[in-house]
Amino acid sequence: MTSVMASVFKTVVMDWPPPKYHEQTPNLPFLAGMIAIHLIVAFAIFRFINNGFYNLTASAATMGSVWALGGFGIAFYYHRMLTHEGFKSWFWLRCLLGACASLLNQGKPAWWAALHFAHHSYSDREGDPHTPNNGFLWAHCITYIFKYEDPYFEARLKKYREDPAVRWQEKYYIIFATMPFTIPPTVGFFLGGWPLAIEMTLASVVGLAAGLHLTWSINSWDHIGKLPPFIRWLEKTPVINFFIGQKTREITPGDRSRNNKFLSTFTFGKGNHEDHHADPQAAYHSGNWDINKWVVLALERLGIIWDVKHPKPTSTKN
Ligand SMILES: [Zn+2]
Ligand SMILES: [Zn+2]
């Protein structure tokens, strides 16, 4: 735990007992939205299998754009910049990146950051909002349907909302969060009429769901901890190692985070999760499989971001 994290942990977290997240109020509109998204994905897969694609290029581009723009916004801005303050940049760039992150419908920036900060404060202990200790599905997605109302959480929300860019993003969140449902049908209709409008909308929702599950996998799949001893040899098999990663050290008591190359590749570096728990403020990790690393280094060189927290050499094991 960095000294900054340690001091926040001491002054903010230790003032409150670990929150009991299972007793929080469910966020029913969010739950309804998530159910609707998954029903649309099921329909889209059924339709693509049976009817094929009207325009495969347009559908693939739509799906890839929603996942890539949203996933990069979440990893680069919500996670590294807002939650962990790994670097700084201009107001307008923070607004733009927050708008990208909103495409994945993972919640408003202050809420996302406060929830993730709670995860770091209590990693895999009582008070962690999403640990597989409470069940794999709880960590993966059920955790997100609760509101998290407690004094600690409110204090973190207030802190993040001191940033005018965060207040701006919260004000216009609904516009950006609904773009995966408004832009693809509009563009599709003008390019190819109703058939392309429907297909691009379905592709967009599939891209959105892929982005959601990849982020959620960091909390579930990337927190499975050590494998049982009799199958631990699997970690050394290159192909399997790519998908399940490895656990090399316990960062805090009970911590289950792992490094996972597959997740790191498709979540813009977030899958290097054991390295991240070892050095949370680092803007990237120095090992491979962190696409975010090259973006951070390039933008720092160009002067677009600054005050970059480079990783401690000892934090990287991937
Ligand atoms: Zn974690
Ligand atoms: Zn983090």
Side-chain angles (χ1 to χ4, degrees), residues 72-285:
F72 180 73
I74 293 283
F76 188 78
Y77 175 70
Y78 270 23
H79 187 219
R80 303 278 185 198
M81 191 177 188
L82 180 63
T83 312
H84 294 298
E85 301 174 52
F87 49 90
K88 294 179 180 157
S89 192
W90 301 302
F91 170 82
W92 68 266
L93 188 64
R94 301 201 301 278
C95 291
L96 180 65
L97 290 166
C100 289
S102 305
L103 296 176
L104 287 192
N105 283 256
Q106 292 188 12
K108 292 180 181 177
W111 184 88
W112 196 102
L115 191 69
H116 186 66
F117 200 88
H119 166 64
H120 277 275
S121 302
Y122 296 106
S123 303
D124 295 312
R125 298 193 304 276
E126 188 188 358
D128 183 347
H130 41 60
T131 168
N133 288 340
N134 298 336
F136 188 88
L137 271 183
W138 169 270
H140 190 73
C141 54
I142 297 171
T143 178
Y144 285 104
I145 62 175
F146 291 91
K147 287 183 177 172
Y148 302 101
E149 292 154 332
D150 64 72
Y152 161 66
F153 203 80
E154 293 300 322
R156 294 302 304 179
L157 286 176
K158 210 169 147 192
K159 183 202 173 296
Y160 291 120
R161 285 178 182 145
E162 285 170 7
D163 181 351
V166 169
R167 298 198 298 276
W168 185 89
Q169 291 154 23
E170 295 206 331
K171 190 174 173 187
Y172 298 107
Y173 176 79
I174 193 68
I175 295 173
F176 304 121
T178 51
M179 278 184 175
F181 309 95
T182 56
I183 292 183
T186 309
V187 172
F189 185 79
F190 281 106
L191 291 180
W194 283 112
L196 192 57
I198 292 168
E199 188 165 296
M200 283 177 67
T201 307
L202 293 176
S204 170
V205 177
V206 172
L208 193 166
L212 283 172
H213 282 281
L214 282 163
T215 301
W216 294 346
S217 294
I218 304 297
N219 304 327
S220 55
W221 189 237
D222 224 2
H223 261 273
I224 57 174
K226 283 183 183 166
L227 296 183
F230 63 97
I231 53 167
R232 206 167 291 158
W233 59 271
L234 285 169
E235 291 181 351
K236 300 197 175 12
T237 313
V239 176
I240 296 176
N241 176 277
F242 180 75
F243 289 102
I244 66 170
Q246 59 184 337
K247 179 79 187 146
T248 66
R249 63 217 138 134
E250 196 173 78
I251 310 298
T252 48
D255 152 68
R256 301 171 61 150
S257 59
R258 296 169 68 90
N259 284 334
N260 182 314
K261 299 179 181 72
F262 169 76
L263 286 176
S264 199
T265 303
F266 291 99
T267 61
F268 301 90
K270 285 171 81 228
N272 279 338
H273 207 55
E274 187 188 278
D275 289 352
H276 174 56
H277 273 267
D279 191 3
Q281 271 211 309
Y284 61 92
H285 298 294

Side-chain angles (χ1 to χ4, degrees), residues 1 4-14 121-122 125:
M1 199 182 288
V4 174
M5 285 283 286
S7 77
V8 172
F9 184 83
K10 212 169 161 190
T11 55
V12 180
V13 180
M14 297 301 279
S121 302
Y122 296 106
R125 298 193 304 276

